[in-house]
Amino acid sequence: MKRILLIIIAAVVALSAAEAKPLKAWKEGTLDIHHISTGRGPAIFFILPDGTRMLVDAGDLGDPSRWTHKEIMPAVPNDSKRPAEWIARYIEHFSKPLNRDLYIDYAVISHFDSDHIGYCDHTAITVEGKPYKYTGITHLGNLIPIHTLIDRGYPNYDYPSKATMAKRNKLSFPNYRLWVEERDRLGHKNEQFKVGSKEQLVLKSKASHYPTFSIQNVAGNGLIWTGEGSATRAIADQYPNGRLHENSSSCVFRLEYGNFAYYMGGDISGGYSKKGLKKAPWNDMQTAVSKVIGTVDVALADHHGYADSMNENLLKALNTNVIGLPIWDLYHPHPKAMTRIVSQGVTEIFPAGITEYRRNEMKEKGLADGLRPDGHVVVRVTKEGKKYQIFVLNDRSLDYEIIYKSKVFTSRGNK
């Protein structure tokens, strides 16, 4: 009987494997947005309509045992490699249809927290002759060439002040700076994120073929776009001591392709306390962004869907039905943020990883109806941005097979 049961189980597994299908290869004219799941921090990989490749962030939390106050996700697909190695493998895999050398045209660093750039602890890799260690983006940049690195503070890194920056992320940020300085010495291109610009993140090879594609830089480093031309204004004067904390200094942008629009806001805050229980107006960057961002089809939840994120003003302005969640710990997403998200009519929520504890808590609180399976989340937008579909890929497998796909949506975010 036991032998028969094992045969049945093996047959079911074999049938499931046979039915599992890979994502169809990217084709020119298509826009792909990959929310990569590593369990160790966000990484968002874009293949733009002409094949231009862009990455936003590449985090590495370092030794998970240091996070004694919270449960974090297991490393996926496993911990045999560092997060940057898994990200590099993923990018290489999905870059094959481009039929060109492996490189990243733009790497945008939203801000300087370790889950976005890499923590420099004993798990970081020491390399002879290198003044910095390999972790997160500094590791990835040595695995895949990055043609242009863009962050909020280059070259002076003096917002809100040099003294403040010297105190922030004492291990992570100095290590990152040493890598940037090496890039300078080698003649690689490094730039500051130009708030208000629509000309910094552009298609590199066939821009004239896709005139409806653009990326509008909305906020970062204490500045925000006014909504007119490329004009900006300082936003920090409403905050204590006239300066933003690191999260709300994040780079924010809006991507458009035909009628399709996508929002990325890093870790900006929505003006709630850390527990999400009371208002903290001095900590509200999202309301300022809401006034200029416009409607989108897909939004990446700010600050991993934590308690202080996704306030009502931003959700109303975005008016989206689809939200992606970049997740690495037990508190992502937080019930307070999820309550706001669900109450604004969001019906499709795609976590790039989630702990079972959190998923079960969402079910208990009646907040899980729109919560889809977790894994690598891919937004695929058709030529001219008319329609889009979302696929969830197996983040425990190196075959990246599809485990869920949404219906086909009609784009309307840029109307």
Side-chain angles (χ1 to χ4, degrees):
M1 184 66 182
K2 184 177 180 181
R3 186 169 181 271
I4 294 173
L5 182 61
L6 290 173
I7 291 172
I8 292 172
I9 292 172
V12 170
V13 171
L15 181 61
S16 298
E19 290 178 345
K21 294 182 179 180
L23 184 69
K24 290 183 179 179
W26 172 92
K27 293 182 179 179
E28 185 175 326
T30 300
L31 164 66
D32 279 359
I33 305 171
H34 297 256
H35 300 160
I36 302 174
S37 170
T38 67
R40 291 296 179 268
I44 313 163
F45 175 57
F46 299 72
I47 304 181
L48 306 183
D50 69 340
T52 298
R53 284 169 286 195
M54 180 171 78
L55 180 73
V56 176
D57 294 335
D60 184 340
L61 295 170
D63 184 353
S65 68
R66 76 184 178 93
W67 297 88
T68 56
H69 63 296
K70 61 180 70 175
E71 173 194 345
I72 68 172
M73 283 181 55
V76 291
N78 56 60
D79 60 3
S80 66
K81 297 180 184 294
R82 301 305 307 160
E85 295 174 286
W86 290 127
I87 294 168
R89 187 189 188 283
Y90 187 100
I91 291 173
E92 181 178 18
H93 177 87
F94 286 100
S95 291
K96 288 176 182 177
L98 299 176
N99 294 317
R100 61 184 73 167
D101 292 342
L102 184 61
Y103 58 84
I104 296 168
D105 292 283
Y106 305 104
V108 180
I109 304 302
S110 66
H111 64 297
F112 302 127
D113 283 343
S114 61
D115 57 328
H116 295 258
I117 62 172
Y119 192 69
C120 192
D121 64 0
H122 66 90
T123 66
I125 301 169
T126 299
V127 179
E128 185 177 355
K130 296 288 186 179
Y132 57 88
K133 293 183 177 181
Y134 286 9
T135 176
I137 190 64
T138 68
H139 191 180
L140 184 67
N142 281 278
L143 297 173
I144 300 179
I146 294 170
H147 286 184
T148 302
L149 174 71
I150 299 171
D151 66 34
R152 73 171 183 83
Y154 181 85
N156 297 323
Y157 299 101
D158 56 1
Y159 180 83
S161 70
K162 285 191 174 182
T164 299
M165 292 304 297
K167 296 176 183 177
R168 288 181 178 175
N169 302 314
K170 292 183 179 179
L171 292 176
S172 308
F173 182 60
N175 190 68
Y176 172 82
R177 285 288 307 273
L178 290 170
W179 174 61
V180 175
E181 289 168 6
E182 179 187 72
R183 286 180 55 84
D184 282 338
R185 291 193 298 273
L186 294 173
H188 299 322
K189 194 173 183 180
N190 304 312
E191 296 179 354
Q192 186 179 58
F193 187 76
K194 300 173 183 175
V195 178
S197 177
K198 222 175 185 177
E199 308 299 327
Q200 185 174 35
L201 296 168
V202 297
L203 300 179
K204 299 292 286 186
S205 61
K206 296 181 179 179
S208 63
H209 290 205
Y210 306 103
T212 65
F213 179 87
S214 66
I215 297 177
Q216 174 70 59
N217 294 352
V218 173
N221 217 44
L223 296 175
I224 189 165
W225 178 49
T226 64
E228 298 182 4
S230 59
T232 64
R233 64 181 178 88
I235 188 65
D237 53 1
Q238 71 187 62
Y239 296 85
N241 303 318
R243 61 192 184 192
L244 301 177
H245 56 63
E246 185 60 39
N247 282 346
S248 280
S249 299
S250 292
C251 300
V252 178
F253 66 73
R254 172 190 172 90
L255 178 153
E256 295 182 358
Y257 183 37
N259 286 336
F260 177 84
Y262 173 88
Y263 164 80
M264 196 294 300
D267 278 4
I268 66 171
S269 172
Y272 287 91
S273 64
K274 288 184 178 180
K275 294 183 178 180
L277 300 176
K278 59 182 180 180
K279 292 284 188 177
W282 59 89
N283 195 24
D284 184 4
M285 185 67 180
Q286 289 178 352
T287 295
V289 168
S290 73
K291 296 175 181 178
V292 295
I293 195 63
T295 298
V296 302
D297 293 285
V298 179
L300 189 70
D302 298 328
H303 202 194
H304 319 275
Y306 193 52
D308 65 339
S309 76
M310 308 314 289
N311 74 15
E312 296 87 345
N313 293 328
L314 180 62
L315 286 164
K316 287 178 182 177
L318 294 172
N319 191 29
T320 181
N321 292 323
V322 182
I323 279 185
L325 292 167
I327 289 174
W328 56 262
D329 85 12
L330 172 68
Y331 301 100
H332 303 155
H334 194 280
K336 294 291 182 181
M338 280 290 286
T339 299
R340 293 191 288 270
I341 288 169
V342 171
S343 67
Q344 289 298 320
V346 177
T347 58
E348 304 282 335
I349 303 167
F350 291 87
I354 189 171
T355 61
E356 281 304 306
Y357 175 94
R358 206 43 148 189
R359 184 181 284 277
N360 290 335
E361 185 181 27
M362 294 300 110
K363 290 178 181 177
E364 291 171 3
K365 294 179 180 292
L367 298 170
D369 286 351
L371 198 59
R372 302 304 177 221
D374 55 299
H376 304 297
V377 178
V378 183
V379 181
R380 172 157 286 178
V381 186
T382 63
K383 192 171 184 179
E384 299 179 359
K386 293 179 179 179
K387 297 181 182 296
Y388 66 98
Q389 189 171 14
I390 302 173
F391 300 85
V392 180
L393 312 183
N394 189 348
D395 61 5
R396 266 67 172 177
S397 165
L398 298 182
D399 294 324
Y400 311 116
E401 64 271 15
I402 297 170
I403 61 174
Y404 176 88
K405 61 181 179 180
S406 74
K407 68 178 184 180
V408 176
F409 297 92
T410 299
S411 304
R412 47 76 172 159
N414 191 26
K415 286 188 176 180

